[in-house]
Amino acid sequence: MRFIRVDELEIKPCTGCISCVVGMTTGRGKGGCPIKDDFYILDEALMACDAVIVGSPAYVLSPTGRFKIVCDRIGPSHDITFRKAAFEEGLGAGKDREKLPDERSFKKRVGGLISVGGAMTKNWLSFMLPTMYEFTMSMGIDVIDMHEYHGAMACEHVLGNGVQIERMRKMGKNIAAALAAGSEEERTAWRGEEEGICPVCHCNMLTVSKDSTAVECPVCGISGTPAWVNGRMNVHFSQEEQNRSRLRWNGKLEHSTEIKTRAVGPGQIQDLKELLEPYKGYGE
């Protein structure tokens, strides 16, 4: 077991150069990042692990900026659909495995999410857990438990809060049970204390469609039909929609295929240099 405090590492923001994805899709790279910093420490820990529990305090309703920086660096560079395609195509072309995306990327992993907020009301952590899925999404880590600890400022230290400490013990046991599971269904079974309205990510956040006829889970990107049953809201997400959740292979494949087939490279706009000319020095 290993504990990593990211605040003690130097991890720089992603620059959006997309060399990680371009390298994989063109067969010239393995998904590496050109930025030189301490990210390799976290990367190796993720590649080696079978399970991960990630936590963040709430800063203005959502995880910290440093947490988001880490998620951005994991982002498309670790997307298992990009990596799997690059790996299989490379093997087919007779390339050395050492020059292909890390084979450990495809290992099954489980995860847990912990959000911590000082505010006494839970809705001051409203964007925490949905945003924290960014950490696990690209690698296809199956989140089997998550917990929101609000009102933390009412206690000097979490060690003085027996209820929260016991809940963390329970999360550890849930992770261990998932790792020891004898079937894929048991391994990925939800073990959290709150089911949530979405049957895939188990979050309660919803967005309303433009025509107000449907709702969408913003984490999974899937559409559902709302209804009131015995005075309570219920949302039906079809099995087809659940299968295309961006937390699952089909949803991630849908996204990577879209990028591969519709994204364009440089040189598409022939007069770009002339179009940029009026904007040179703007705002200086």
Side-chain angles (χ1 to χ4, degrees), residues 74-90:
I74 294 172
S77 67
H78 287 62
D79 187 294
I80 55 174
T81 57
F82 280 117
R83 288 200 169 194
K84 189 73 170 176
F87 184 81
E88 292 179 348
E89 289 167 10

Side-chain angles (χ1 to χ4, degrees), residues 114-143:
I114 306 167
S115 74
V116 181
M120 303 303 138
T121 49
K122 193 172 183 177
N123 64 9
W124 278 95
L125 284 71
S126 56
F127 297 118
M128 284 294 293
L129 291 174
T131 304
M132 291 182 76
Y133 265 98
E134 290 184 19
F135 188 96
T136 61
M137 190 177 294
S138 291
M139 292 179 61
I141 298 172
D142 296 297
V143 175

Side-chain angles (χ1 to χ4, degrees), residues 163-212:
V163 172
Q164 295 299 325
I165 291 295
E166 186 54 39
R167 179 64 180 89
M168 293 302 94
R169 289 195 184 99
K170 180 68 182 302
M171 181 176 286
K173 291 177 180 178
N174 287 341
I175 292 289
L179 290 174
S183 67
E184 184 67 1
E185 183 179 8
E186 184 185 359
R187 184 186 72 83
T188 60
W190 179 247
R191 290 169 166 81
E193 294 182 354
E194 296 183 20
E195 287 292 332
I197 203 152
C198 175
V200 182
C201 70
H202 301 278
C203 290
N204 279 319
M205 183 177 287
L206 295 171
T207 53
V208 181
S209 64
K210 190 174 182 179
D211 61 3
S212 300

